[in-house]
Amino acid sequence: MSARAGARATSFELEVYLADCRESMEATLRTVVGRWEERDLPEDVAAAVRHGVLGGGKRVRAILCISAYRACGGDGPDEALRELAAALELIHAYSLMHDDLPCMDDGELRRGRPTTHRVHGVSRTAVAGVAMIPMAVHTAFRAAEALGCPPDRARDVGRELCRAAGAGGMVGGQALDLLAEGKELDEGELAHLHGLKTGALLAASLRMGAVAAGAEAREVDALDVYGRAVGLAFQIADDVLDATATVGELGKQPSDRQLHKSTYVALHGLEGARARARREVERAVAALEGAEVRSVVLRAMARYIIDRRW
Ligand code: GRG
């Protein structure tokens, strides 16, 4: 099923749709990485990039971006849209590769496989991750052009990505996370940290799709509210999964307890955290309805984000 068909559908099997999107995103990411390999990347770094980007992941950010674009009436070609979504997945994948490094969370497993640095070494993984940042920005501009965005709109799309990935977004959130080691955060501090670390890129996924489609400001704003609410719900669900899921389900070792992290489960208990996540999902869906952004996929994705088992 194409992304366009998914956006129009009134009832559909989400899991089938997600599997289809993941498969086509895998092909697009392979093409994008291949293009860079031919031009710039030494083979050993390219191998680390491929390990970190290909062959796994839920591709939530890509699917949100694609869905927002279609929900806002964007009618550009599917492959160009997937390349825009690939830019987000590159930033996300680099952040996981770096987050797993020994100087950060020292992760052993990711997406059901040994982490990139356990296979390709720490220094190659560090270089590969950094190389993926300009790769992502370049990919976003190229995709915006291929989608027919006029130059000022393409610039806005790129700006959304850079802002969310930078010190005012994901990197800033990670810095706060590192500073929070050994401290107990309250609800407000935890929401601020995760709003930057996880929420900014998730919200940017929707905003980039909407801006690329030439959406009205009220639609972009509604998708931003949806993205931030879903981002928080996503993080709460992550905390619940870390406390309840198996290594097999998660594809990585649960680590919150071992790393003494402040979590929503520690703050509210399991049932309290689940209830808090459900409230965010309701808020997300209400924002779409308020701005009359009609998307079966986005409604279903909000629920999926808290019902998922990985
Ligand atoms: C050095 C300060 C500094 C920053 C570098 C490492 C880093 C940048 C940022 C870390 C960002 C990070 C790891 C955020 C966590 C986001 C999160 C919830 C990841 C899990 O996402 P999923 O479940 O993963 O979508 P999959 O594998 O499905 O793609």
Side-chain angles (χ1 to χ4, degrees):
M1 189 192 304
S2 74
R4 203 172 312 198
R8 278 202 307 263
T10 49
S11 97
F12 72 111
E13 282 291 327
L14 182 68
E15 286 298 340
V16 175
Y17 177 70
L18 292 180
D20 182 63
C21 283
R22 283 174 191 140
E23 199 182 313
S24 42
M25 275 311 300
E26 182 74 12
T28 299
L29 282 161
R30 198 172 285 283
T31 303
V32 168
V33 172
R35 212 181 275 146
W36 284 80
E37 275 176 50
E38 276 169 29
R39 263 201 330 231
D40 292 328
L41 286 180
E43 175 47 33
D44 58 340
V45 178
V49 171
R50 285 196 300 270
H51 185 105
V53 180
L54 303 174
K58 292 180 285 296
R59 309 298 186 204
V60 166
R61 291 147 195 84
I63 292 163
L64 293 178
C65 176
I66 289 168
S67 307
Y69 179 84
R70 294 297 181 210
C72 293
D75 62 359
D78 280 333
E79 182 55 21
L81 181 53
R82 279 194 293 270
E83 290 213 6
L84 183 67
L88 288 150
E89 290 294 331
L90 285 170
I91 292 287
H92 170 59
Y94 115 75
S95 81
L96 299 181
M97 289 156 70
H98 278 197
D99 194 46
D100 288 332
L101 287 173
C103 62
M104 303 238 183
D105 282 358
D106 198 11
E108 205 178 307
L109 275 180
R110 171 71 69 180
R111 296 174 169 174
R113 291 178 304 158
T115 47
T116 308
H117 69 274
R118 299 262 170 148
V119 177
H120 297 276
V122 169
S123 48
R124 262 188 222 115
T125 301
V127 172
V130 171
M132 285 157 72
I133 304 169
M135 195 188 289
V137 175
H138 188 274
T139 301
F141 279 118
R142 187 189 147 107
E145 205 175 296
L147 284 169
C149 295
D152 58 338
R153 204 190 286 170
R155 180 202 61 206
D156 290 346
V157 169
R159 187 184 281 167
E160 291 287 348
L161 181 65
C162 292
R163 193 177 283 158
M170 185 184 76
V171 167
Q174 177 75 350
L176 288 180
D177 202 10
L178 294 171
L179 286 173
E181 266 171 27
K183 293 189 189 142
E184 273 185 30
L185 303 185
D186 64 24
E187 169 99 36
E189 291 167 327
L190 203 54
H192 179 58
L193 188 161
H194 289 304
L196 295 176
K197 185 176 162 179
T198 307
L201 196 63
L202 279 167
S205 310
L206 294 137
R207 292 178 63 95
M208 280 171 64
V211 170
E216 291 171 24
R218 79 182 165 86
E219 293 173 312
V220 179
D221 290 347
L223 285 164
D224 186 63
V225 174
Y226 169 97
R228 288 180 193 282
V230 152
L232 184 51
F234 189 95
Q235 185 56 50
I236 300 171
D238 242 35
D239 290 354
V240 169
L241 286 171
D242 196 271
T244 58
T246 62
V247 175
E249 284 173 317
L250 285 177
K252 60 177 185 176
Q253 309 278 359
S255 59
D256 289 345
R257 197 188 283 237
Q258 199 187 338
L259 296 170
H260 307 289
K261 296 244 176 179
S262 297
T263 68
Y264 285 92
V265 172
L267 273 181
H268 300 296
L270 269 178
E271 279 319 308
R274 286 189 177 117
R276 178 89 184 72
R278 281 197 297 274
R279 283 207 298 282
E280 291 304 319
V281 166
E282 280 157 23
R283 206 159 70 80
V285 172
L288 295 184
E289 282 166 2
E292 295 179 347
V293 175
R294 294 183 213 294
S295 167
V296 175
V297 183
L298 289 178
R299 289 176 70 99
M301 283 301 284
R303 312 239 173 258
Y304 163 80
I305 271 162
I306 57 169
D307 290 341
R308 67 200 165 95
R309 287 305 295 163
W310 58 303

